[in-house]
Amino acid sequence: MLAYIIRRLLIAVPVLLGVTIINFIVINLAPGSPVEMMIDPNTPPADIEAKKDALGLNDPLYLQYIHWLVDVFKGNFGFSLTTYQPVAQMIGERIGPTVTLMGLSFIVGLAIAVPLGIISATRQNSKLDYLATGGSFLGISIPNFFLALGLIYVFSLELKLLPSGGMITLGGDGGFVDRLKHLILPVLVLGTGIAGKKIRYVRSSVIDILGQDYLRTARAKGVREFMVVNKHALRNALIPIVTVIGLEVPILLGGAVVTEQIFSWPGIGQLTMGSIMNRDYPTLMALNLLAAFMVLAANLLTDIIYSVADPRIKYK
Amino acid sequence: MKKNNSWKMVCALVSILSILTLSACSSSGPATAGASGGSEAKPAGESKVVNIGITNAPLMFNPIDQTDNTSIIVTSILFQPLMELDENLEFVPMLADSIETEDNQVYTVKLNENAKWSDGEPVTADDVVFTVKLIGNPKSIVSLSTRYAVLEGFDELGKLPEGASDVAGVKKIDDHTVEFRTKQPVDPNLFMEGFGKNLKPLPEHVLKDASPETLAQNPFFQKPTVVNGPFTFVTYAKDQYIELQANKDYFKGAPKLDKLNFKIMPSSNLVAQLQSGEIDMNFPGIGTISVQDFEKVKNMSNVNAVSGKPFNYQNLYFNNETITDVRVRHAIAYAINREMMIDNLLKGEGESMDVQYTPIHPYYNKNLTPITYNPEKAKELLKEAGWDSSKTLRLVVPSGNKTREQAADIIVENLKAVGINAQVQKFDLATSVQKLIKGEYDLDILGLIFILDPDLTTVFGTGSKTNYARYSSPEMDKLLLEGTKETDSDKRRVIYDKVQELIMQDLPQIALFADYRLLATNKRVLVGGPKDLGAFINVYEWDVEPK
């Protein structure tokens, strides 16, 4: 097992390197540069060139990449080309809000999906099943932005109960209750989407398990139906769900671009969007590296958890 | 037992969740603690706060390196310019009491003697000289340094020789007087715009030890602690809001407001928050209300809605290398139904124009014959030019401005009606500007902003990198050179009248229409509101009814 983990970690190094090279090429192939994004299209060309020189954007591409790579190995992700803040700091201050928002949304989504999935699996083709699967279909189908705007209209504009955006009230105390109020709508939007997807996984996974022989044995032994479902079946049904969740951990850090934008949530998603629009190369490189790292780490972690949860799986 | 197990899992999840929430709270805790400390001094009911709704988040607050509109607007409240341009196109004294010249070459700037930095130090001539030298320092990262090229001692890029200490172009006369000297006489308006409006001095006593190479990365420009404007900087909560607080020692008088905040939101929320009173106004350029929403805003009982003036316009570039025949360019201009666009698309909130000065520009030539919708004439011209109707023109349009995107669709239909095939290509702004630079387009629409000085060398001069139309005319080059050399504004007017006549004749580009910016202010605001130019000149006099 240990040898397996070490081997996976060693493979990760060239993969990450390859990812950064591809990213670097792709973002530099995109037309425009941070300097050409300057406000006025009639900016004198000499000014554009002077600034490009000052920022090192006129160096050959391979040199720019090597500079970046050397700095990264020294633990320095460089400075943003648009705000001149250290990139690590820019990402650091947005990880908290994103993890809060996405973490809560995941928990809310799962808290809805797991019980509903089990219920609709155990009572297949009942009214409740139709309601749950119908609800799940709706949750998947409603676009986030539409649901978000609808909720803002109802809860912020008409009922005036909840703020329409931001993380804390402007000029307010920024306390726990205030933060919670700002979280409700975006978490509801994201949670609905997540729940919609997960209900189907849980349902099909439980249905699959319920037909297994050992459950028939359990029932034959006289175990109560409640126990059969919630202990014997659920435990095994959750294994494939763990995989699905594990693979979605990177999304947890990636943020939700659209929802973050609508609710002015200061997370990674908004930073990514802004960096793309401004062609902020160092920030984009760091964000991509972070994303790649998270995907690899989540994959590895899922594989490990899998072998722990399911004794049939062994890595050599 | 079994139930206990699942409860354990739930408990674990809940504790993870609370850790996540708490850690997020503590990460941004200090900034907000500082902010709330300030507001607690006054009972919330009595404090006068104005919230301005904007859609574009600022990048930084650096007055010598400004790359986005929100930064420019907020920075000029914090760091006052020497002069500010108002909507009547007159310069209003800000940090400078006066800027005077006798020979159009030596400009004497008298600073307001009461001007103080927020830490109590006076604003002096040293600060101005320090800032100019910093901009000229070859190592510092600045935007728009080329305008300093007119000053004595600066090279053609607006930079100083390495290690220059004495600069002929800018000299301290006494504590409150600075003398600028240009290489040649220049139009006073050019000086006023370039140096009066755009020079915002930095505090020398705070930044003198910072090295120019790394100055841009200085935390001062993320959180400017020492400023000289009517409001001081409290906090910028990323992507959420910028909070400013009244500077009671402001040299023109203590502001009547306690706080001035800029709230960042998607444009879809602007109208809703205007209605709910969460924001008191929008701001042109950085918080635009769309024409589609404007009717609704006009009907809100708590809001005054007005349209701005024709300062900004949409420009249609012709690629003169692919559309070489001037008759075809004219034909395209005649084929476009701008009257219909203004009536239906802009709902009357705009006006038609042809040349690159809007009708309120002081150099606008009123004697030009405007190009009006005339499809028959367009067809005739195309026939004369022998237009090959199998060709398809690429019409590049930046995405993001719905009105502009629809205008592009109308143009395609208009062109089709006279027998020209065109196809809309939408790209994000960076990509479409790149297409312009590389000439990978036939037609391209771009929004342009108001500039007081009439010089168009970068737009029409042969070989200029921003001559996106790739237009070249020796006659135009000659006129433009004459225009930059002439300092007398009446003589300049004659030259630029000719420039405009030549534009109409050769039609390297055509301005489509000036689209008014739509402005809304809550009725509780007694003094103040958004404007196209100089809205914050009197921000210290702004007043609201307390909420």
Side-chain angles (χ1 to χ4, degrees), chain A residues 43-286:
Chain A
T43 305
D47 277 320
I48 294 178
E49 285 310 310
K51 205 168 171 192
K52 272 185 158 177
D53 272 341
L55 294 172
L57 291 171
N58 281 339
D59 295 346
L61 271 191
Y62 71 93
L63 264 184
Q64 289 186 42
Y65 178 74
I66 290 170
H67 283 312
W68 178 83
L69 198 64
V70 169
D71 279 351
V72 168
F73 275 114
K74 288 186 202 152
N76 176 6
F77 286 91
F79 288 87
S80 155
L81 293 179
T82 49
T83 70
Y84 303 119
Q85 269 179 297
V87 169
Q89 184 193 330
M90 281 172 75
I91 295 178
E93 62 194 16
R94 283 162 188 274
I95 281 185
T98 288
V99 170
T100 311
L101 177 65
M102 297 305 290
L104 265 178
S105 307
F106 255 76
I107 290 165
V108 167
L110 290 179
I112 299 171
V114 173
L116 275 183
I118 294 171
I119 290 170
S120 70
T122 49
R123 299 178 199 174
Q124 261 186 78
N125 302 328
S126 70
K127 272 185 189 158
L128 239 107
D129 181 23
Y130 289 137
L131 206 70
T133 43
S136 132
F137 188 64
L138 208 67
I140 299 172
S141 319
I142 294 184
N144 276 354
F145 76 89
F146 181 78
L147 185 60
L149 291 177
L151 288 176
I152 288 176
Y153 179 76
V154 174
F155 289 99
S156 306
L157 209 62
E158 291 299 317
L159 300 175
K160 295 193 166 61
L161 283 176
L162 293 168
S164 61
M167 194 164 73
I168 44 176
T169 309
L170 207 172
D173 59 352
F176 185 75
V177 179
D178 187 41
R179 276 158 198 270
L180 207 61
K181 271 187 166 177
H182 283 85
L183 269 169
I184 293 174
L185 290 187
V187 164
L188 210 59
V189 169
L190 291 170
T192 313
I194 292 166
K197 268 183 245 157
K198 296 292 174 293
I199 286 176
R200 306 188 139 204
Y201 277 116
V202 177
R203 182 177 182 271
S204 62
S205 171
V206 172
I207 287 175
D208 207 33
I209 298 286
L210 281 178
Q212 299 282 327
D213 289 343
Y214 65 90
L215 287 184
R216 205 171 351 140
T217 316
R219 286 198 193 96
K221 281 197 304 184
V223 179
R224 278 189 296 130
E225 185 62 23
F226 185 81
M227 285 303 184
V228 170
V229 173
N230 288 297
K231 165 139 197 245
H232 298 274
L234 183 58
R235 242 193 152 164
N236 289 310
L238 281 180
I239 293 174
I241 296 166
V242 165
T243 321
V244 174
I245 294 169
L247 291 178
E248 284 191 12
V249 166
I251 300 173
L252 213 75
L253 267 181
V257 176
V258 175
T259 313
E260 281 184 7
Q261 214 136 35
I262 292 181
F263 288 105
S264 310
W265 191 263
I268 299 267
Q270 285 230 62
L271 180 66
T272 311
M273 198 63 205
S275 307
I276 293 172
M277 297 315 279
N278 290 323
R279 305 286 193 268
D280 189 352
Y281 300 145
T283 314
L284 276 175
M285 288 298 287

Side-chain angles (χ1 to χ4, degrees), chain A residues 31-32 36-37 41 47 49 51 83-85 93-94 99-100 104 157 164 167-168 170 179 231 264 266 279, chain B residues 2 17 24-25 32 59 65 67 141 145-146 222 238-240 261 264 272-273 428 430-431 434 465 468:
Chain A
E36 273 141 16
M37 283 306 292
D47 277 320
E49 285 310 310
K51 205 168 171 192
T83 70
Y84 303 119
Q85 269 179 297
E93 62 194 16
R94 283 162 188 274
V99 170
T100 311
L104 265 178
L157 209 62
S164 61
M167 194 164 73
I168 44 176
L170 207 172
R179 276 158 198 270
K231 165 139 197 245
S264 310
R279 305 286 193 268
Chain B
K2 289 117 198 183
L17 141 74
C25 290
T32 47
L59 296 172
D65 183 12
T67 49
I141 298 173
S145 65
T146 49
Q222 301 297 330
K238 286 279 151 66
D239 293 340
Q240 298 178 75
N261 303 319
I264 303 154
Q273 297 215 5
D428 69 337
T431 309
Q434 193 67 23
K465 200 183 163 199
Y468 299 134

Side-chain angles (χ1 to χ4, degrees), chain B residues 126-407:
Chain B
D126 290 320
D127 293 320
V128 177
V129 175
F130 167 75
T131 310
V132 173
K133 282 187 184 168
L134 198 58
I135 293 168
N137 191 309
K139 285 181 179 149
S140 51
I141 298 173
V142 294
S143 50
L144 300 172
S145 65
T146 49
R147 64 164 60 107
Y148 287 79
V150 299
L151 290 184
E152 192 78 58
F154 287 69
D155 66 18
E156 70 275 17
L157 289 176
K159 289 291 176 189
L160 290 163
E162 196 117 3
S165 54
D166 255 351
V167 183
V170 54
K171 243 191 300 190
K172 171 185 172 178
I173 302 299
D174 63 42
D175 271 356
H176 297 283
T177 314
V178 187
E179 193 184 88
F180 287 86
R181 183 181 286 271
T182 58
K183 289 173 190 159
Q184 277 125 25
V186 295
D187 185 340
N189 265 340
L190 180 74
F191 184 86
M192 294 289 256
E193 193 175 33
F195 297 88
K197 181 171 179 269
N198 285 305
L199 179 58
K200 301 163 195 166
L202 286 164
E204 184 185 19
H205 64 283
V206 178
L207 295 171
K208 62 171 182 279
D209 296 327
S211 114
E213 290 109 313
T214 56
L215 188 74
Q217 297 154 8
N218 197 309
F220 183 81
F221 296 123
Q222 301 297 330
K223 192 175 179 4
T225 42
V226 177
V227 300
N228 59 31
F231 287 85
T232 58
F233 185 84
V234 180
T235 187
Y236 167 39
K238 286 279 151 66
D239 293 340
Q240 298 178 75
Y241 57 80
I242 307 157
E243 193 176 352
L244 307 180
Q245 196 168 25
N247 175 9
K248 298 287 174 211
D249 300 322
Y250 179 56
F251 57 90
K252 285 188 178 179
K256 289 180 181 159
L257 300 179
D258 296 293
K259 288 229 164 112
L260 183 69
N261 303 319
F262 291 83
K263 233 181 137 184
I264 303 154
M265 61 195 67
S267 52
S268 56
N269 285 7
L270 268 181
V271 174
Q273 297 215 5
L274 267 173
Q275 189 171 16
S276 68
E278 284 173 89
I279 57 171
D280 299 301
M281 60 186 76
N282 71 325
F283 204 85
I286 55 173
T288 309
I289 297 175
S290 68
V291 174
Q292 292 78 9
D293 287 334
F294 198 53
E295 201 55 38
K296 189 173 177 216
V297 174
K298 274 187 191 161
N299 289 330
M300 289 181 195
S301 58
N302 62 337
V303 167
N304 286 323
V306 291
S307 14
K309 294 182 181 171
F311 282 109
N312 310 287
Y313 61 98
Q314 300 295 335
N315 197 49
L316 180 68
Y317 293 90
F318 298 118
N319 186 341
N320 287 235
E321 280 172 2
T322 61
I323 310 175
T324 45
D325 195 323
V326 62
R327 287 170 297 191
V328 177
R329 297 199 292 267
H330 273 281
I332 293 172
Y334 280 115
I336 298 172
N337 190 348
R338 289 180 283 170
E339 288 78 4
M340 189 271 274
M341 282 188 209
I342 290 162
D343 289 346
N344 296 332
L345 194 58
L346 300 180
K347 312 223 187 289
E349 303 292 348
E351 57 194 88
S352 183
M353 57 186 276
D354 296 323
V355 290
Q356 280 65 33
Y357 305 120
T358 66
I360 52 169
H361 196 284
Y363 283 87
Y364 176 68
N365 182 350
K366 293 183 178 66
N367 301 321
L368 298 174
T369 319
I371 293 179
T372 48
Y373 177 54
N374 190 343
E376 292 313 313
K377 192 159 178 186
K379 280 182 200 160
E380 250 170 59
L381 281 166
L382 285 175
K383 208 169 163 192
E384 254 178 58
W387 173 253
D388 172 10
S389 59
S390 66
K391 263 195 218 166
T392 299
L393 298 178
R394 297 159 290 177
L395 170 55
V396 174
V397 56
S399 59
N401 178 339
K402 276 276 162 284
T403 314
R404 181 166 57 202
E405 288 172 33
Q406 285 169 331

